[in-house]
Amino acid sequence: MPPVVLALRRLPQPRLTGLGAGLFASAVMLTLGLLDRLLFDGSPVIYGLLFLPVSALTALWVRAADLVTAPIGVPIAFAVGVVPIAGGSGGLGGQAMAVVTALAVHAGWLYGGTLVAGLIASVRKVREMGRRQHARAMAPVAGEAPGAGAGSGGRGRTPRRRPVA
């Protein structure tokens, strides 16, 4: 296997609920936003670059039943984390306007991270559906002995034929 795949398999495999994935992404992005403001004076490029792996991890760590929440939760997390780097002055109104402006100006990073989460969640969903279909095809039919499926050459029951009138 390629070294990248081996490295990814060594990562922890938590399975977060949809709410847990959203809270994880929001907490991490808020922390990264605060660190970005302290260390890099609120650089939107660094914040955006850090948003991409958080989006990927959120989509990888959400459980299969909640895959649809990953592309929904990461934009919310981006908005939560952009508050510290948005700047703004003049009270609550000035801060809110700075956040809205930052979201509009840095929409490319927002769309990119959402796309990453959406693609990963879609691939995981397709693989999960394939696994389920394969498991269903391999399961014995109810009332049939194992190995006696149609076309298997087993000693299963033969179908009844209708009499020709």
Side-chain angles (χ1 to χ4, degrees), residues 11-30:
L11 285 174
Q13 294 294 320
R15 291 293 171 227
L16 301 170
T17 63
L19 180 61
L23 289 173
F24 161 76
S26 296
V28 170
M29 290 312 300
L30 182 60

Side-chain angles (χ1 to χ4, degrees), residues 69-140:
T69 62
I72 295 169
V74 293
I76 296 169
F78 185 89
V80 167
V82 85
V83 172
I85 67 167
S89 60
L92 185 62
Q95 182 69 28
M97 188 54 97
V99 168
V100 170
T101 303
L103 288 173
V105 171
H106 308 301
W109 292 112
L110 179 61
Y111 293 150
T114 305
L115 181 66
V116 166
L119 287 174
I120 291 173
S122 297
V123 168
R124 284 188 58 205
K125 185 64 174 178
V126 167
R127 290 182 69 200
E128 180 69 26
M129 289 171 29
R131 266 190 234 115
R132 284 185 186 168
Q133 187 176 9
H134 180 70
R136 215 176 301 129
M138 299 305 290

